[in-house]
Amino acid sequence: MSVRVSPTEKIRAEIDALFGGDRELGEVIEDVARLGARLIIQTALEAEVEAFLGRARYQRAASAESPAPGMRNGYSRATIKTTAGPVTVARPKLRGTTEAFASKLFGSTVTRSNALESLVIAGFVRGLSVRDVENTLADALGAEAALSKSTVSRVCQAIGEQFEAWRNRPLDGVVLDYLFLDASMFRMHPGARAEPVLAAWGIDTEGKPVFVALAAGGSESTDAWGDFLDELAGRGLRPPLLVISDGAAGLISAAESALPRSLRQRCLIHRCRNLLAKVPAQAQEEIRGAYWE
């Protein structure tokens, strides 16, 4: 990847690549949350530097309204602890400035918190709130980590616009052989009840993975899944050859109604787990081997 590609663009590429394997949805969404936390922090850092210098990345000082002396001089690594594990971001370095740049994002104490993961999941599926971002980052990163409302607003606008563009993109150019549908439960806010995040991804006719859609469902009912699939069809997604799902009755009913021309198969991993739950622990390894063979 070119050295001129920004850290935020690299993180977005990592998020796009997550759905290329056969991993469980919960594991993939956890990684999306971790990368999303990196994306939010990285976007905030870049916004701080942009405000400090008075110009965007690669923008010439002559074309800026109120440029400040100095220039970007690469990045250093900085690590933040979260319940999903350490999150490493690229901390911008500057040179030639008349005063030292100090990021307000990093306090002297970085706490261990699930606030970032909750923020990312809630933000990606519900839309980012300036107040939510400001409060959640303050809770996660410590009392001294304070961002200005203008910086928070820029973070919200940048990530919100990118996600909305992705969520509303046309799907008529996506031709799938296999469409995987599943939901995973997440608490959008501390103390709130867990809610499902509906997800769709697949393999296209060229054998390439495609992350299709992500949305808050409210429930896993037939109506919720039906609305989700109808929205995908409205954006141009054609029926796949095969739909893969777990045994959730609402999902099965919606898939058979919205995609009547597609074959449907029970997920083999879910079926294996159901099978192993019926046999003694000492026999599970033998049964698992025989099942996959």
Side-chain angles (χ1 to χ4, degrees), residues 43 128 130 150-163:
T43 304
L128 290 164
V130 171
S150 62
T151 298
V152 172
S153 180
R154 264 193 271 184
V155 171
C156 292
Q157 181 177 354
I159 296 180
E161 287 177 355
Q162 291 158 8
F163 181 67

Side-chain angles (χ1 to χ4, degrees), residues 17-34:
L18 277 177
F19 287 80
D22 57 357
R23 300 165 61 203
E24 279 288 287
L25 174 64
E27 297 176 4
V28 173
I29 295 297
E30 286 179 6
D31 281 350
V32 169
R34 184 161 46 247

Side-chain angles (χ1 to χ4, degrees), residues 74 115 122 181-182 212 227:
L181 300 171
D182 201 0
V212 181
D227 290 344

Side-chain angles (χ1 to χ4, degrees), residues 4 49-51 53-68 70-72 154:
R4 294 178 66 87
V49 171
E50 182 175 330
L53 293 178
R55 59 186 184 277
R57 191 168 183 255
Y58 298 128
Q59 181 183 7
R60 294 183 178 277
S63 63
E65 291 185 6
S66 302
M71 63 185 67
R72 292 167 175 80
R154 264 193 271 184

Side-chain angles (χ1 to χ4, degrees), residues 12 22 89 128 199 216 257 260:
R12 282 194 287 272
D22 57 357
V89 295
L128 290 164
S257 176

Side-chain angles (χ1 to χ4, degrees), residues 64-120:
E65 291 185 6
S66 302
M71 63 185 67
R72 292 167 175 80
N73 186 33
Y75 297 90
S76 61
R77 293 164 62 87
T79 300
I80 295 171
K81 297 177 182 178
T82 76
T83 52
V87 170
T88 301
V89 295
R91 195 171 186 172
K93 297 191 296 184
L94 304 179
R95 67 180 179 183
T97 60
T98 55
E99 60 179 296
F101 168 72
S103 170
K104 295 180 181 179
L105 184 59
F106 294 94
S108 59
T109 302
V110 177
T111 62
R112 187 173 180 84
S113 170
N114 67 351
L116 288 175
E117 292 93 318
S118 299
L119 170 65
V120 172

Side-chain angles (χ1 to χ4, degrees), residues 10-282:
K10 292 180 181 178
I11 296 170
R12 282 194 287 272
E14 290 183 56
I15 293 175
D16 290 341
L18 277 177
F19 287 80
D22 57 357
R23 300 165 61 203
E24 279 288 287
L25 174 64
E27 297 176 4
V28 173
I29 295 297
E30 286 179 6
D31 281 350
V32 169
R34 184 161 46 247
L35 286 171
R38 281 179 58 200
L39 181 60
I40 287 176
I41 296 169
Q42 193 67 56
T43 304
L45 286 170
E46 298 291 351
E48 282 190 301
V49 171
E50 182 175 330
F52 182 80
L53 293 178
R55 59 186 184 277
R57 191 168 183 255
Y58 298 128
Q59 181 183 7
R60 294 183 178 277
S63 63
E65 291 185 6
S66 302
M71 63 185 67
R72 292 167 175 80
N73 186 33
Y75 297 90
S76 61
R77 293 164 62 87
T79 300
I80 295 171
K81 297 177 182 178
T82 76
T83 52
V87 170
T88 301
V89 295
R91 195 171 186 172
K93 297 191 296 184
L94 304 179
R95 67 180 179 183
T97 60
T98 55
E99 60 179 296
F101 168 72
S103 170
K104 295 180 181 179
L105 184 59
F106 294 94
S108 59
T109 302
V110 177
T111 62
R112 187 173 180 84
S113 170
N114 67 351
L116 288 175
E117 292 93 318
S118 299
L119 170 65
V120 172
I121 293 296
F124 276 8
V125 300
R126 294 193 180 281
L128 290 164
S129 154
V130 171
R131 179 176 296 178
D132 283 346
V133 175
E134 187 177 47
N135 293 342
T136 305
L137 286 178
D139 290 343
L141 302 176
E144 296 180 19
L147 291 177
S148 69
K149 290 189 182 297
S150 62
T151 298
V152 172
S153 180
R154 264 193 271 184
V155 171
C156 292
Q157 181 177 354
I159 296 180
E161 287 177 355
Q162 291 158 8
F163 181 67
E164 283 302 311
W166 177 83
R167 183 164 60 179
N168 295 310
R169 74 198 188 287
L171 297 174
D172 50 352
V174 178
V175 184
L176 299 177
D177 276 345
Y178 310 111
L179 174 64
F180 299 86
L181 300 171
D182 201 0
S184 195
M185 304 297 290
F186 291 93
R187 298 185 185 278
M188 302 296 184
H189 302 285
R193 68 179 181 86
E195 299 179 50
V197 174
L198 311 184
W201 68 101
I203 306 296
D204 67 15
T205 54
E206 297 180 355
K208 297 179 181 178
V210 180
F211 182 22
V212 181
L214 186 70
S219 71
E220 290 190 75
S221 65
T222 300
D223 287 344
W225 275 111
D227 290 344
F228 181 73
L229 293 173
D230 287 345
E231 194 266 339
L232 299 185
R235 285 161 54 198
L237 184 67
R238 284 170 273 184
L241 173 66
L242 179 67
V243 175
I244 299 95
S245 73
D246 60 14
L251 172 52
I252 292 173
S253 176
E256 292 180 343
S257 176
L259 301 166
R261 297 172 54 192
S262 300
L263 301 172
R264 189 188 63 81
Q265 174 183 296
R266 175 77 178 277
C267 171
L268 295 180
I269 294 177
H270 284 84
R271 187 183 294 276
C272 182
R273 288 176 176 173
N274 295 150
L275 177 64
L276 294 178
K278 303 293 185 181
V279 301
Q282 62 269 23

